[in-house]
């Protein structure tokens, strides 16, 4: 693993502690207040997440028209089909809207395209398949905002659409009955995940703006469990309204859960309060594995079922798929050449499994600190998943490349590209040029840390109170340095545990597909892993340069 440059997240001025006011206002320890001050985020969203603070869903452009069209369908007993996506965000958004429409008395079904046969988004073949079931109203979640031609062609099939999405907008909106997107109309939270957009529509449909009415509070908080799963897994910023929605969802998960979610938490070995890291490293990958290895319908069924036996049967399938996914992912990571020094790491492997290339791209990104794309080549077509760290934005490159792609889209830090293999050289050069321009536009990209020494981390209970941690509000990341106190112990699939001289903390280094050298002086970025049973240990996030970057 390459030693990455690093710097303190926010320079600490000399004199009185600038976080003392946060200590007093929120009753935090000095360590907790310091951590919050480093992140420069309004704490009320996570420490006082009352419904009254929630944003009015009717401020989201398209919601009023979507509510009117759905209520018309309910009144006319029109069947409704929710058209989703195969990742955690799309699966949870699908389950959420199905649950809400069932509550409102709709005859509702769902459709998830297949990653391998269909790919992402709206496809006419899929729409025809869904239309054969007889729905008159289609509602997309987590997809569709660029599907102008597909929505237009749907009219010939007698279908009407409501589009809900959060991916990058195109130059033209689909001609749907309503388009609901947080990037339209100046909505205060443009960073909603796809499941967050679906929830705001649900909030409006249930007349729960801003507060639930007529005893709907528990039902809404139940929906927020799904919002928490999808929002954390999709790595959108956990700030502002997103922090409120996820915090309420995490809190609700600590109560009674449906059989499907209960089985997921059990499989992920979650003990004690549910935290965002449990979703990111345990629950989310299991849901994702279903869509990565085949059709994602079972993941939706698992989240929707009310029958324990069915949940256990589905969970057994999910766990088997997740184990298979791990093996395929490990084999691909080991087979690829190590990243070089190019400003953008792009590597293709003929016939690589499409379901794991995004995970491996993320691993390579964390190793290099630079954007990475891993792709498979099938019948002369490259299918790539792209990941970028903080400090980079993939969207300008996507805009430049769009005329040369068969398909492509995504977010600031994650995207997908499909293109003829003959265009590889041009696409590689474009990605490298944009990455180099972005890296040169400001100070050298560096790992942002909160300070040196594990003593700066707040206690477990205080970190639980400050949840959710993730994109935009990262977990504590601290620098530790030293030599190995004893040889590292291996466990699992190439993972290692060790201690540094003079440090009592046990450090865990999870395998990334390459064998990291632990000889000589080490400088590491570590983050706490808290367990209700085993207490606190530390996860190695990055190998760092010996001294802070200028």
């Amino acid at each position: 693993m390459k030693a990455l440059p690093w710097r303190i997240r926010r320079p600490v001025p000399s004199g009185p502690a600038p976080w003392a006011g946060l200590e007093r206002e929120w009753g935090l320890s000095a360590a907790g207040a310091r951590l919050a001050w480093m992140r420069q985020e309004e704490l009320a969203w996570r420490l006082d997440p009352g419904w009254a603070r929630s944003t009015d869903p009717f401020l989201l452009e398209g919601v009023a028209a979507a509510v009117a069209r759905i209520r018309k369908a309910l009144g006319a007993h029109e069947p409704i089909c929710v058209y989703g996506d195969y990742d955690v965000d799309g699966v949870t958004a699908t389950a959420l809207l199905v649950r809400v429409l069932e509550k409102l008395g709709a005859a509702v079904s769902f459709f998830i395209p297949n990653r391998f046969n269909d790919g992402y988004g709206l496809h006419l073949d899929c729409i025809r398949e869904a239309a054969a079931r007889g729905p008159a109203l289609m509602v997309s979640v987590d997809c569709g905002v660029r599907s102008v031609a597909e929505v237009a062609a749907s009219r010939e099939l007698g279908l009407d659409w409501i589009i809900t999405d959060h991916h990058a907008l195109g130059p033209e909106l689909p001609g749907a009955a309503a388009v609901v997107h947080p990037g339209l109309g100046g909505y205060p939270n443009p960073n909603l995940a796809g499941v967050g957009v679906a929830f705001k529509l649900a909030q409006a449909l249930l007349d729960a703006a801003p507060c639930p009415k007529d005893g709907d509070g528990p039902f809404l908080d139940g929906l927020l469990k799904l919002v928490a799963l999808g929002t954390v897994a999709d790595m959108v910023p956990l700030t502002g309204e997103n922090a409120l929605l996820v915090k309420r969802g995490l809190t609700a998960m600590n109560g009674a859960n449906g059989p499907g979610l209960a089985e997921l938490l059990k499989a992920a070995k979650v003990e004690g309060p549910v935290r965002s890291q449990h979703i990111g490293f345990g629950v989310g990958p299991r849901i994702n594995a279903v869509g990565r290895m085949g059709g994602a319908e079972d993941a939706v069924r698992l989240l929707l079922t009310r029958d324990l036996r069915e949940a256990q049967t589905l969970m057994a399938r999910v766990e088997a798929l997740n184990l298979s996914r791990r093996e395929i992912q490990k084999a691909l990571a080991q087979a690829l050449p190590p990243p070089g020094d190019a400003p953008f790491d792009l590597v293709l492997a003929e016939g690589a499994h499409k379901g794991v290339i995004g995970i491996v791209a993320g691993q390579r990104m964390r190793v290099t600190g630079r954007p990475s794309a891993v792709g498979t080549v099938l019948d002369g077509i490259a299918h790539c998943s792209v990941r970028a760290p903080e400090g980079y934005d993939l969207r300008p490159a996507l805009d430049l490349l769009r005329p040369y792609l068969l398909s492509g889209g995504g977010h600031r830090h994650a995207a997908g590209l499909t293109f003829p293999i003959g265009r590889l050289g041009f696409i590689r050069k474009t990605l490298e040029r944009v990455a180099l321009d972005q890296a040169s536009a400001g100070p050298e990209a560096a790992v942002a840390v909160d300070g040196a020494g594990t003593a700066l981390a707040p206690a477990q209970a205080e970190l639980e109170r400050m949840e959710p941690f993730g994109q935009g509000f990262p977990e504590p990341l601290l620098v530790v340095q030293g030599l190995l106190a004893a040889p590292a112990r291996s466990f699992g699939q190439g993972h290692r545990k060790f201690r540094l001289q003079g440090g009592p903390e046990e450090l865990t280094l999870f395998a990334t597909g390459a064998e990291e050298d632990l000889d000589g002086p080490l400088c590491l970025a570590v983050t706490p892993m808290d367990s209700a049973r085993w207490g606190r240990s530390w996860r190695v996030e990055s190998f760092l340069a010996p001294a802070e970057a200028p």
Side-chain angles (χ1 to χ4, degrees):
M1 188 179 289
K2 180 183 176 183
L4 302 177
W6 60 276
R7 61 174 61 94
I8 299 296
R9 193 180 306 277
R10 186 179 183 188
V12 180
S14 58
W19 50 83
L22 295 175
E23 288 186 62
R24 293 189 297 270
E25 182 180 2
W26 295 105
L28 297 170
S29 70
R34 183 185 184 278
L35 191 76
W37 178 84
M38 282 278 176
R39 280 143 186 74
Q40 305 184 64
E41 161 72 359
E42 171 54 56
L43 290 178
W45 292 104
R46 65 194 66 238
L47 297 184
D48 183 25
W51 278 115
R53 200 178 298 279
S54 173
T55 307
D56 185 343
F58 286 98
L59 295 178
L60 187 55
E61 185 167 314
V63 160
V67 168
R69 181 63 183 89
I70 290 172
R71 286 180 175 164
K72 176 184 175 184
L74 293 171
H77 303 290
E78 294 179 60
I80 302 174
C81 179
V82 179
Y83 188 112
D85 186 30
Y86 39 70
D87 67 359
V88 183
D89 192 18
V91 164
T92 52
T94 301
L96 184 150
L97 206 53
V98 168
R99 182 73 80 212
V100 170
L101 292 170
E102 286 177 342
K103 180 178 176 64
L104 295 172
V108 58
S109 61
F110 69 87
F111 182 90
I112 306 284
N114 185 285
R115 180 189 295 266
F116 303 95
N117 300 332
D118 308 315
Y120 169 79
L122 307 191
H123 299 273
L124 274 178
D125 287 345
C126 298
I127 294 168
R128 291 189 185 99
E129 181 180 340
R133 306 175 187 175
L137 178 60
M138 305 287 291
V139 184
S140 80
V141 291
D142 196 35
C143 61
V145 77
R146 285 179 171 267
S147 300
V148 176
E150 290 79 4
V151 170
S154 297
R155 294 197 194 98
E156 298 179 9
L157 302 173
L159 301 177
D160 204 1
W161 279 93
I162 292 171
I163 301 293
T164 78
D165 198 359
H166 73 130
H167 291 89
L169 293 162
E172 181 183 357
L173 293 178
V179 177
V180 183
H181 190 289
L184 296 171
Y187 184 70
N189 177 20
N191 296 315
L192 283 170
V195 68
V197 178
F199 176 79
K200 299 308 290 187
L201 175 57
Q203 207 177 3
L205 280 167
L206 296 169
D207 194 24
C211 300
K213 295 178 176 62
D214 301 325
D216 277 341
F219 180 76
L220 269 290
D221 276 327
L223 298 181
L224 287 179
K225 297 176 186 181
L226 299 171
V227 175
L229 294 175
T231 301
V232 171
D234 216 46
M235 298 183 67
V236 297
L238 298 182
T239 56
E241 184 184 24
N242 283 353
L244 180 149
L245 300 178
V246 173
K247 180 59 169 281
R248 291 192 69 97
L250 292 175
T251 301
M253 281 187 222
N254 292 322
N257 291 306
L261 180 53
E263 288 296 311
L264 279 163
L265 294 171
K266 179 180 176 182
K269 296 181 172 60
V270 176
E271 298 177 344
V274 182
R275 295 177 58 179
S276 51
Q277 63 179 226
H278 294 137
I279 296 173
F281 293 98
V283 178
R286 284 172 165 81
I287 298 173
N288 252 337
V290 186
R292 290 187 185 279
M293 304 302 291
E297 292 86 355
D298 276 352
V300 179
R301 295 186 186 106
L302 179 62
L303 294 173
L304 288 174
T305 185
R306 295 179 172 90
D307 181 81
L308 177 58
R309 183 168 296 181
E310 182 184 19
Q312 291 171 335
T313 299
L314 289 167
M315 190 65 234
R317 294 181 200 164
V318 170
E319 197 65 7
L321 290 170
N322 191 45
L323 291 173
S324 177
R325 183 270 305 169
R326 287 178 183 173
E327 292 296 329
I328 294 170
Q329 170 190 325
K330 179 182 177 183
L332 176 61
Q334 292 176 337
L336 294 177
D341 295 325
F344 193 108
D345 169 47
L346 170 59
V347 60
L348 300 180
E350 187 85 30
H353 196 290
K354 286 175 68 175
V356 302
I357 55 177
I359 305 174
V360 177
Q363 290 177 338
R364 293 170 70 91
M365 175 204 76
R366 286 188 289 274
V367 167
T368 64
R370 301 189 302 275
S372 179
V374 175
T376 184
V377 182
L378 303 171
D379 298 325
I381 303 298
H383 304 262
C384 296
S385 281
V386 192
R387 300 293 183 268
E390 289 288 346
Y392 291 88
D393 186 347
L394 295 172
R395 293 172 297 183
L398 287 173
D399 289 340
L400 283 173
L401 289 172
R402 202 167 301 282
Y404 309 98
L405 301 175
L406 299 177
S407 64
H411 314 296
R412 179 185 296 270
H413 297 124
L417 308 175
T418 303
F419 55 88
I421 191 64
R423 296 176 183 169
L424 173 62
F426 170 75
I427 286 171
R428 186 192 299 277
K429 288 180 181 178
T430 302
L431 292 171
E432 289 180 353
R433 186 177 74 249
V434 173
L436 186 61
D437 289 345
Q438 292 184 1
S440 305
E444 179 187 20
V447 177
V449 301
D450 294 303
T454 56
L456 290 175
Q460 176 178 341
E462 191 161 53
L463 287 183
E464 290 168 1
R465 186 183 169 211
M466 296 174 72
E467 285 279 356
F469 289 97
Q471 198 77 19
F473 197 86
E475 294 178 308
L477 191 63
L478 299 162
V479 178
V480 296
Q481 294 178 286
L483 296 166
L484 285 186
R489 295 184 292 111
S490 296
F491 72 100
Q493 298 184 336
H495 313 311
R496 286 179 284 176
K497 290 183 180 290
F498 57 92
R499 285 183 169 85
L500 300 182
Q501 292 179 7
E505 302 91 353
E506 184 173 63
L507 310 180
T508 301
L509 177 62
F510 289 104
T512 61
E515 183 74 11
E516 295 85 359
D517 184 7
L518 297 180
D519 294 332
L522 298 173
C523 184
L524 307 171
V526 299
T527 193
M529 296 191 300
D530 292 319
S531 165
R533 179 181 302 187
W534 307 112
R536 173 164 287 179
S537 61
W538 295 82
R539 181 176 72 246
V540 176
E541 288 290 315
S542 304
F543 283 60
L544 302 178
E548 183 177 4

